[in-house]
Amino acid sequence: MDYATVKLIHQGAVALSFAGFFVRGLAALAGAGWVRGRAARSLPHLVDSVLLLSALTLAWMLRIHPGSAPWLAAKVAGLVLYIGLGVVALRPGLPWRWRAAAWIAALLCFGYIVSVAITKNPLGVLSLAQPGA
């Protein structure tokens, strides 16, 4: 498979992952029962597996790793934070305010990860505000 195809698969998985988390988060905060169903709990793992596999494939194709590309290390750190916030946001036993705050923070973290991917800079979109950038 060529680079452009893998990148398109990765970008599609990013969009599906974001849309799924956004909808599941809203539904969980609204108390919808379907969020606890098998499909709602399993499908995100399939999408995220495609996302991770395509990311690893792209990194391999480009011959980069987090130690050699600070922007990639920032994406990985952002991903770890995003996963943690997502777990809190979707945990039914926690107070609604905590889950809502974690959901919003996770969405912001997702935006940061995307901005790092686009700019190839650990500061993400903030790098555009730097003098000389």
Side-chain angles (χ1 to χ4, degrees):
M1 209 176 300
D2 68 334
Y3 177 82
T5 302
V6 176
K7 185 175 178 181
L8 187 60
I9 290 168
H10 183 70
Q11 291 169 334
V14 167
L16 284 173
S17 182
F18 177 79
F21 178 72
F22 185 85
V23 170
R24 284 174 57 219
L26 278 180
L29 291 172
W34 66 263
V35 176
R36 292 181 298 282
R38 184 178 179 140
R41 289 182 293 121
S42 301
L43 191 56
H45 295 302
L46 176 63
V47 172
D48 291 342
S49 293
V50 171
L51 180 58
L52 180 59
L53 182 59
S54 62
L56 292 172
T57 302
L58 288 170
W60 178 79
M61 290 173 124
L62 294 173
R63 307 282 193 261
I64 60 172
H65 57 84
S68 69
W71 66 270
L72 187 55
K75 277 185 65 174
V76 171
L79 177 63
V80 171
L81 180 60
Y82 172 71
I83 291 169
L85 291 167
V87 167
V88 172
L90 298 174
R91 174 120 341 135
L94 296 176
W96 188 88
R97 287 183 183 201
W98 287 15
R99 292 184 299 122
W103 182 68
I104 291 168
L107 294 175
L108 291 171
C109 191
F110 191 96
Y112 164 75
I113 294 168
V114 170
S115 77
V116 168
I118 291 169
T119 63
K120 304 289 189 275
N121 187 309
L123 294 176
V125 74
L126 296 176
S127 68
L128 301 177
Q130 289 181 332

